[in-house]
């Protein structure tokens, strides 16, 4: 077939898909402890949602959106991030007016950006994120940052860096933008065309520029920390103090402005450099947004949130061997030696599965050597060998593939014998309970 994946997308298959699910499950376990409930929003939204929230001056809206007209000429966009859709859903479902505050929602799903594909950067990628809306108390912000940190710790991350900055409140940023305009005025002709446009629309965005000559100029630019209003500075200090209280290490980073226009006050990013020196980019990032709900027609509620990139989490965990314990495995392989035993074997196989013992059989009647190889590939611990004699005696030969020990087990005792071996070998399965093989004694 000569039809290939669209550039920047990737298939996630088998063990890898299982790993993504494990990552999502582990993250869900953590966020539920913080009182979050799930939300699912559409993959496409009206384009205007993103131009109004993520912002006209952001790279995402200017260059990276998958926007198209539907058959009724409505302009729709594949979501480049999920916060905007969540805020629209909050307003549309009137949660901002009726739900107890704070509204705490988490999501997982694909996002789409027409980005330049590279290590850790895709055009369709998965995000897992949280939004905490309704209370702007510094502890609410610190709690959200701590959640991101604790979640990564729970996944097994050890050496990550939390970068943090404050973009200040409205008055802080207005003054800062003026200062930036003054600074860039005479440098602009040496800067990239994008920055020349950003100068007009939102000079803060110039600080995001990745062009080397512009990065050099940016290093000398005025810093936001000098422009924080007393209120913004106090709020920032309280958030930092709360993080210290939790013994969460952070680095202040004056250049962290984040690429989305809705951010205000505290913004943050989780970074990780692997032992091999590979950098997959930021693992996650987020911040406060004070006007997003109001901007979309809702109540004047502030919020804070972050999103992780699941591909990046997966890459880091794979490299560090953190996913090994989560690889899919089956518990038992049923091995009929001849088609004459298939009926007996099939009944046992299905009964094991009914008792939530993950089981498999190839029914290929290949020599045991081959069947053992198959069992090894599937990570099975137990082989259940069935020949003529076994059927006659209503028994199964149970082999522990770790220790190579072998025993004959009467059909009525099979389930407990398999469970015992699995337990002994530390193989966990969620047993539905019950005795014997689960049948009423008529497995043949
Ligand atoms: P953002 O919405 O830009 O704050 O991104 C949040 C997180 O999503 C980032 O820290 C990355 O982990 C991930 N991410 C963003 N863009 C991409 C991309 N193009 N490919 C893969 N992951 C991404």
């Amino acid at each position: 077939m000569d039809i290939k994946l669209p550039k920047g997308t990737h298939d996630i298959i088998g063990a890898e898909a299982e790993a993504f699910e494990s990552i999502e499950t582990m993250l869900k376990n953590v966020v539920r402890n913080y009182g979050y409930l799930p939300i699912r929003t559409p993959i496409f939204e009206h384009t205007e949602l993103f131009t109004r929230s993520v912002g006209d001056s952001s790279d995402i809206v200017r260059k990276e959106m998958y926007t198209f007209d539907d058959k009724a000429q409505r302009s729709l966009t594949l979501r480049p991030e999920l916060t905007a859709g969540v805020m629209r859903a909050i307003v549309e479902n009137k949660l901002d007016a009726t739900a107890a505050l704070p509204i705490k929602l988490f999501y997982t799903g694909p996002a789409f950006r027409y980005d330049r594909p590279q290590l850790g950067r895709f055009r369709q990628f998965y995000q897992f994120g949280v939004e905490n809306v309704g209370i702007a108390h510094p502890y609410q912000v610190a709690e959200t940052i701590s959640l991101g940190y604790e979640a990564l710790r729970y996944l097994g991350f050890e050496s990550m860096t939390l970068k943090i900055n404050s973009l200040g409140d409205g008055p802080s940023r207005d003054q800062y933008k003026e200062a930036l305009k003054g600074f860039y005025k005479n440098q602009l002709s040496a800067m990239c065309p994008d920055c020349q446009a950003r100068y007009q629309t939102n000079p803060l965005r110039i600080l995001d520029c990745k062009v080397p000559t512009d990065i050099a100029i940016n290093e000398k630019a005025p810093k936001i920390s000098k422009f924080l209003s007393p209120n913004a500075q106090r709020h920032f200090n309280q958030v930092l103090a709360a993080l210290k209280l939790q013994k969460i290490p952070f680095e202040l980073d004056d250049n962290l402005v984040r690429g989305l226009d809705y951010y205000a006050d505290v913004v943050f990013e989780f970074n990780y450099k692997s032992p091999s020196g590979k950098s997959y980019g930021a693992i996650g990032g987020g911040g406060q947004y004070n006007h997003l709900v109001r901007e979309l027609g809702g109540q004047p509620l502030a919020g804070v949130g972050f999103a992780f990139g699941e591909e990046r989490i997966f890459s880091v965990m794979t490299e560090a061997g953190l996913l090994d314990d989560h690889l899919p495995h089956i518990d038992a392989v049923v091995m009929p030696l001849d088609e004459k035993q298939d009926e007996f074997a099939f009944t046992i196989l299905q009964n094991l599965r009914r008792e939530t013992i993950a089981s498999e059989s190839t029914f290929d009647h290949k020599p045991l050597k081959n069947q053992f190889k198959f069992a090894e590939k599937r990570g099975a611990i137990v082989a259940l060998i069935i020949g003529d004699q076994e059927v006659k005696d209503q028994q199964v030969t149970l082999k522990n593939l770790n220790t190579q020990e072998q025993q004959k087990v009467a059909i009525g005792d099979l389930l407990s014998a398999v469970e015992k071996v699995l337990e002994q070998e530390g193989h966990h399965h969620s047993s539905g309970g019950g005795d014997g093989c689960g049948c009423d004694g008529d497995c043949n």
Side-chain angles (χ1 to χ4, degrees), residues 18 30 33 60 65-66 104 113 116 119 125 159 231 258 264 327 351 356 426 439:
E18 192 90 28
V30 181
N33 291 338
I60 293 179
M65 295 210 300
Y66 283 90
K104 291 173 125 180
R113 292 183 196 170
R116 197 166 60 80
L119 185 71
F125 57 97
S159 52
N231 272 344
R258 317 260 315 123
L327 291 181
N351 286 334
T356 70
C439 76

Side-chain angles (χ1 to χ4, degrees), residues 37-173:
L37 291 173
I39 180 168
R40 298 178 188 223
T41 59
I43 282 183
F44 57 85
E45 299 268 3
H46 290 290
T47 302
E48 197 191 345
L49 174 66
F50 302 111
T51 49
R52 284 208 355 220
S53 56
V54 176
D56 282 334
S57 72
S58 67
D59 277 3
I60 293 179
V61 168
R62 291 184 52 241
K63 298 192 281 195
E64 296 174 1
M65 295 210 300
Y66 283 90
T67 297
F68 57 96
D69 284 347
D70 74 1
K71 292 186 196 304
Q73 270 71 55
R74 300 179 191 94
S75 178
L76 300 172
T77 292
L78 300 184
R79 60 188 185 195
E81 55 95 66
L82 279 73
T83 302
V86 172
M87 296 307 131
R88 182 212 34 77
I90 286 177
V91 173
E92 194 154 357
N93 293 283
K94 302 195 170 50
L95 300 184
D96 55 329
T98 58
L101 301 180
I103 304 161
K104 291 173 125 180
L105 298 167
F106 76 87
Y107 58 76
T108 173
F112 306 83
R113 292 183 196 170
Y114 195 80
D115 234 342
R116 197 166 60 80
Q118 51 186 292
L119 185 71
R121 193 169 290 288
F122 298 91
R123 289 183 172 170
Q124 173 171 342
F125 57 97
Y126 287 79
Q127 287 195 332
F128 184 103
V130 303
E131 309 297 346
N132 180 347
V133 177
I135 299 175
H137 191 281
Y139 275 16
Q140 214 77 26
V141 180
E143 168 197 299
T144 309
I145 302 173
S146 304
L147 165 58
Y149 188 83
E150 299 291 343
L152 291 175
R153 297 277 298 194
Y154 183 72
L155 293 176
F157 282 60
E158 274 172 6
S159 52
M160 65 247 180
T161 331
L162 164 62
K163 290 186 180 168
I164 190 163
N165 191 23
S166 173
L167 302 178
D169 48 18
S172 319
R173 263 193 320 287

Side-chain angles (χ1 to χ4, degrees), residues 2 39 73 85 107 133 144 178 216-217 244 250 252 265 267:
D2 55 5
I39 180 168
Q73 270 71 55
Y107 58 76
V133 177
T144 309
E178 281 312 306
I217 294 173
K244 282 187 192 146
F250 56 81
L252 295 177
D265 277 309
V267 289

Side-chain angles (χ1 to χ4, degrees), residues 136-138 166-173 225 227-239 265-266 288 290:
H137 191 281
S166 173
L167 302 178
D169 48 18
S172 319
R173 263 193 320 287
S225 51
F227 293 83
L228 294 184
S229 69
N231 272 344
Q233 186 67 59
R234 188 176 331 109
H235 175 79
F236 191 31
N237 290 345
Q238 284 171 319
V239 172
D265 277 309
V266 181
Q288 289 183 251
N290 296 339

Side-chain angles (χ1 to χ4, degrees), residues 152 157 159-163 256 269-273 279 281-284:
L152 291 175
F157 282 60
S159 52
M160 65 247 180
T161 331
L162 164 62
K163 290 186 180 168
L256 183 69
E269 212 167 76
F270 297 100
N271 284 273
Y272 177 86
K273 197 161 204 157
S279 173
I283 297 297

Side-chain angles (χ1 to χ4, degrees), residues 333 335 370-380 382-383 401:
V333 175
M335 304 179 176
N370 300 56
Q371 301 215 36
F372 287 143
K373 197 161 270 167
F374 171 78
E376 190 187 327
K377 279 200 181 136
R378 295 295 163 99
V382 169
L401 294 168

